[in-house]
Amino acid sequence: MELRALGTSGGIGQGLRTTAFLVDGWLLVDAGSGVGDLTAAELGGIRDVLLTHAHLDHTAYLGLMADARIGDGTPPIRVHAPAPTLDVLREHLFNGVLWPDFTAIPTPQEPVLVFEPLPSAQALILGAFHITPLPARHSVPAVGYRIDDGSGSLVFSGDTGASPALRERLEELGMPDALIIECAFPDALESLARQVGHYTPAQLVDELRHWPAGVRVWVTHLKPGAAARIEEELREQAAAAGVHCELLRGGDVLQIGR
């Protein structure tokens, strides 16, 4: 599978885009501001969206993408997420006030978006992808995803703080070939990170000690104001612990499996 990192930042700023990944040109994982760099043709190729949670840095461009797709003759975009996440989007975003309800436009029979609740304990089959929701610990209901196409497997943690349940679940399913995991705050803000459900470098390196060496690890979601400090702390602590990880940047393209 090919993953294109459209947005990897934990916030906005010049040249920065928030979380969005495009897999094999048609599966969008989260819909942050990175979606805005796609061409009209690329937007038209998106068939399915996986959302990890409802926060705007992961969902705001879903509404704008829907607006760009109206009347283009393509089938509805299927949006997959746990029911609590979809409920938030219905009530607070696609409510006809903040933004039009694209689950009923242009008609309820042929809308731009179709919401498909995803039970947290069940896997989803989309084309060649076997997709499994994974535990996450965040300030709102959230999940990560394991995506497997038979030749390679990728885990995206979504937004999460330290969550032993994630690794435990993957030990049941089988560890992936690659992991994309967040690290939003520097170590000085550990208390805040624990409060809102994010990693710091020390927490993340401690978690990665338990992962097999063969899993490639990319780190995302650094908060822009502290990105340089987070990167330095992560680099130093990972080297001291014998842990290998890389920063994933907007525009990067990953090949997972064959």
Side-chain angles (χ1 to χ4, degrees):
M1 80 181 78
E2 178 185 273
L3 180 140
R4 178 178 165 192
L6 305 176
T8 63
S9 178
I12 62 170
Q14 186 174 27
L16 299 176
R17 306 289 187 271
T18 65
T19 305
F21 305 113
L22 188 61
V23 183
D24 284 359
W26 62 268
L27 175 63
L28 185 67
V29 183
D30 279 341
S33 63
V35 175
D37 289 334
L38 293 174
T39 67
E42 289 169 333
L43 288 170
I46 294 172
R47 304 201 303 264
D48 292 87
V49 179
L50 296 174
L51 298 177
T52 58
H53 64 294
H55 280 159
L56 282 176
D57 57 331
H58 295 251
T59 63
Y61 272 57
L62 179 64
L64 295 173
M65 180 174 68
D67 186 61
R69 285 277 296 261
I70 192 167
D72 69 356
T74 60
I77 303 167
R78 298 179 297 183
V79 181
H80 310 273
T85 297
L86 297 179
D87 289 344
V88 169
L89 294 179
R90 286 185 189 279
E91 181 177 356
H92 298 290
L93 178 56
F94 298 105
N95 57 11
V97 180
L98 185 62
W99 201 242
D101 181 6
F102 282 101
T103 66
I105 294 174
T107 70
Q109 294 74 34
E110 295 184 0
V112 179
L113 302 177
V114 174
F115 284 180
E116 298 195 357
L118 182 66
S120 59
Q122 295 184 14
L124 174 69
I125 306 299
L126 294 177
F129 295 137
H130 187 98
I131 298 165
T132 307
L134 299 170
R137 188 181 67 81
H138 196 41
S139 57
V140 297
V143 294
Y145 290 105
R146 186 182 195 273
I147 304 173
D148 192 327
D149 70 352
S151 69
S153 56
L154 167 73
V155 164
F156 174 47
S157 72
D159 282 9
T160 186
S163 176
L166 170 63
R167 179 167 25 93
E168 292 168 4
R169 179 66 174 130
L170 288 171
E171 287 170 350
E172 297 173 0
L173 296 169
M175 299 302 283
D177 297 305
L179 168 68
I180 298 175
I181 193 165
E182 67 118 278
C183 189
F185 290 112
D187 288 329
L189 296 180
E190 179 180 349
S191 177
L192 175 62
R194 291 185 182 278
Q195 176 184 346
V196 298
H198 284 293
Y199 271 110
T200 66
Q203 293 171 328
L204 180 56
V205 168
D206 185 60
E207 170 61 29
L208 294 178
R209 293 174 192 267
H210 302 286
W211 283 69
V215 178
R216 294 193 67 185
V217 179
W218 284 274
V219 181
T220 69
H221 209 275
L222 283 64
K223 293 294 183 183
R229 191 173 5 148
I230 297 168
E231 184 174 354
E232 180 180 4
E233 291 176 350
L234 191 58
R235 181 174 58 251
E236 292 177 353
Q237 294 177 40
V243 167
H244 180 72
C245 58
E246 307 170 52
L247 289 183
L248 186 63
R249 303 185 189 277
D252 287 351
V253 176
L254 309 182
Q255 298 289 339
I256 312 297
R258 293 193 300 270

